[in-house]
Amino acid sequence: MPEKNAPAVESDRCEVCGGLLDEEDLFCCNCGTEVPFDETRAFQGSTNLTHCFTCEGCGASMSYDASSQALRCPFCGNEGLIQQRDHKAVRPNRVVPFAINREQAEQAMRAYLGRGFWRPSDLAETAAITAMVPVYVPYWVFQAKLHTYWTADTSKTPFGARGDWFPLFGEDKSQCEGLLVAASGALSQYETNSLSPFDLSAGVPPEDVDLDRVTVEQFGVVRKHARPLALRELDAFAEQQCRMV
């Protein structure tokens, strides 16, 4: 990575609008121009996909099983898919393999269908599940060391105090690891939060997983846009840590 305070060089700016480019940017976030490939600058986590599709319905971008005969979006079911040839995408550093098989997934779905006041009582037993498609969903993973100074007021006044409140102050040093920020372009934050957290220790290099024979959603949120979301989560984490002091 370039030094934090290093001056921007020509290759670090968009050739169309002059906007600054992050090291893993595939497109300029200001004008949308594709970043030309440069071996001296190229983000080591990028790769070229030969069977990548974009859904016309929900806008999800994903790579498909190369042996699939009929293609359908696993998120919205739309068959209107646009193939992107030689599409450049962010390659994951680690992949957490699926923890359950199809049978377990079907049991979990039927249990879900059996809940709810407005659903027929026999829906879980009579529903016909015609297809289930496993999909790898992208996340950014952040870690940070936090040093927080805090102040507060308390009603627990010392003996002999004339007031009914007492000021407190202190500091907290903590570390946050494995903070997940969803990079899905198709799922909502509620849906991605429901999928996580994951056992990140189970993650393996992408070379150990046959990603060419499974549906993989591509990163819909670049890292520079994920950082503000991570900072918001870190603020909440720091506040929680200070409340426990």
Side-chain angles (χ1 to χ4, degrees):
M1 295 180 62
E3 295 182 8
K4 182 177 181 180
N5 298 320
V9 295
E10 182 113 11
S11 59
D12 293 329
R13 292 184 177 273
C14 174
E15 59 184 14
V16 174
C17 69
L20 289 175
L21 301 172
D22 210 348
E23 62 177 341
E24 80 279 6
D25 281 349
L26 307 178
F27 299 89
C28 174
C29 64
N30 186 47
C31 69
T33 301
E34 185 174 2
V35 178
F37 180 77
D38 184 355
E39 292 183 354
T40 62
R41 175 191 175 276
F43 178 48
Q44 297 302 315
S46 64
T47 184
N48 285 328
L49 299 176
T50 57
H51 49 282
C52 185
F53 297 82
T54 299
C55 176
E56 292 182 326
C58 65
S61 178
M62 67 212 87
S63 61
Y64 264 103
D65 183 346
S67 62
S68 295
Q69 299 298 320
L71 299 180
R72 182 190 297 268
C73 178
F75 297 106
C76 68
N78 196 327
E79 294 183 355
L81 303 178
I82 302 174
Q83 185 173 6
Q84 303 178 19
R85 299 192 179 277
D86 297 327
H87 178 70
K88 187 164 59 173
V90 176
R91 182 184 63 223
N93 292 329
R94 307 285 288 181
V95 176
V96 179
F98 296 117
I100 61 176
N101 54 32
R102 178 188 172 89
E103 182 180 352
Q104 292 171 315
E106 184 172 329
Q107 291 175 355
M109 185 174 182
R110 290 192 180 278
Y112 169 77
L113 293 176
R115 298 193 298 266
F117 179 79
W118 300 107
R119 294 174 182 168
S121 58
D122 61 344
L123 178 62
E125 291 75 20
T126 60
I129 302 176
T130 59
M132 297 190 74
V133 180
V135 181
Y136 280 108
V137 179
Y139 287 79
W140 292 105
V141 184
F142 291 87
Q143 62 180 10
K145 292 182 179 180
L146 306 176
H147 189 179
T148 307
Y149 294 95
W150 58 268
T151 58
D153 296 335
T154 178
S155 58
K156 296 181 179 180
T157 58
F159 178 77
R162 292 179 294 178
D164 57 359
W165 63 275
F166 185 73
L168 295 175
F169 63 92
E171 62 179 308
D172 175 73
K173 294 182 179 180
S174 55
Q175 183 166 337
C176 180
E177 296 184 354
L179 174 62
L180 294 173
V181 175
S184 174
L187 300 178
S188 66
Q189 182 177 0
Y190 172 79
E191 291 169 328
T192 52
N193 288 344
S194 299
L195 291 175
S196 59
F198 302 101
D199 181 8
L200 298 181
S201 63
V204 298
E207 295 79 13
D208 294 351
V209 182
D210 189 4
L211 297 180
D212 290 334
R213 297 190 178 278
V214 70
T215 302
V216 180
E217 184 186 5
Q218 303 307 312
F219 281 75
V221 178
V222 296
R223 186 169 56 176
K224 66 170 61 178
H225 292 165
R227 289 193 186 108
L229 301 177
L231 288 175
R232 186 175 63 186
E233 295 296 328
L234 289 173
D235 285 341
F237 177 81
E239 180 178 351
Q240 181 182 14
Q241 293 296 110
C242 292
R243 290 181 182 274
M244 295 172 59
V245 175

